[in-house]
Amino acid sequence: MSVDTPVGLARVTFHRAVGRARAWFVVGHGAGGGIEARDLVALASALPARGFHVALVEQPWRVAGRRLAPAPKTLDAGWLPVMRTIAARNKAAGLPVFGAGRSAGARVACRTAIETEVAGVVALAFPLHPPGKPERSRMAELLGAGVPTLVVQGERDSFGTPEEFPKDGPTVLPVPWADHGFAVPKKAETTQEAALALITTGVGDWLEAATARE
């Protein structure tokens, strides 16, 4: 489905829930890639079986074939109309809607959480700071989401490790050996498949608990 936005056409790929739906999981990609990211592919494959509609959102800059992501305000402008469109589709069913994203997409989901009235946010590989520059923290964006938030973070993520997030802040799911793209080296004491299974199971469990509270 294409969605017209002030900054161009966004594109949404749906993976429908199997059986009775619990909620919507609307997720955007990062600045360095699209919806083909390994974690997004894994979640789109696993979550429908647990009763979640998954909507993979491609930002207008990506749909247009541009290689560089625009400024944060432009990313938000490309996201908000998609969320309004899904809210309209969901009006009759009244299911909880969760915003999500990886990296830059996680920042978008956090910044727009209150405006889009989501039930919660899943931040995959949240870029807490540029690599090697912890003083340029984006913690305020994460904490400003104003809704229950799950951070899924690789233990080797150069944009921020799980230990850098506050203990009294969002729920953090560490992914052993994983980097910013959740890639696991061959020398790791785990496998790539196990890392992705940890992500899909952890996100699914968190979403189920969150929908039970709705």
Side-chain angles (χ1 to χ4, degrees):
M1 178 184 74
S2 293
V3 177
D4 194 18
T5 84
V7 293
L9 286 178
R11 185 164 53 211
V12 187
T13 302
F14 294 103
H15 297 261
R16 299 288 183 179
V18 177
R20 185 177 180 180
R22 292 174 176 266
W24 282 87
F25 181 76
V26 187
V27 58
H29 56 78
I35 60 172
E36 72 280 359
R38 59 173 58 84
D39 49 327
L40 303 189
V41 171
L43 288 164
S45 176
L47 291 182
R50 298 185 67 166
F52 298 100
H53 294 314
V54 177
L56 299 174
V57 181
E58 293 177 82
Q59 281 272 355
W61 67 271
R62 184 82 179 179
V63 175
R66 293 191 289 273
R67 298 179 65 181
L68 296 177
K73 287 184 178 180
T74 304
L75 294 177
D76 294 355
W79 175 260
L80 290 169
V82 173
M83 295 300 285
R84 287 194 290 267
T85 299
I86 290 176
R89 284 188 162 217
N90 181 50
K91 190 172 183 180
L95 299 173
V97 177
F98 292 86
R102 69 160 287 104
S103 194
R107 296 179 65 191
V108 174
C110 288
R111 285 194 301 263
T112 61
I114 293 176
E115 184 173 353
T116 54
E117 299 181 331
V118 292
V121 167
V122 175
L124 302 154
F126 187 84
L128 188 59
H129 55 71
K133 298 180 179 180
E135 71 279 3
R136 292 175 55 185
S137 176
R138 295 156 181 153
M139 185 70 75
E141 283 185 352
L142 180 66
L143 300 181
V147 295
T149 302
L150 171 68
V151 175
V152 183
Q153 204 77 3
E155 290 187 344
R156 296 189 305 118
D157 194 330
S158 59
F159 289 80
T161 62
E163 292 76 18
E164 295 180 61
F165 293 85
K167 302 299 183 187
D168 57 349
T171 302
V172 178
L173 173 64
V175 184
W177 291 90
D179 65 10
H180 190 62
F182 295 118
V184 171
K186 291 183 179 180
K187 67 177 181 180
E189 298 172 1
T190 187
T191 64
Q192 187 67 68
E193 292 74 17
L196 292 175
L198 175 65
I199 293 169
T200 57
T201 299
V203 171
D205 289 348
W206 187 86
L207 290 172
E208 284 190 7
T211 54
R213 293 193 296 268
E214 285 290 315

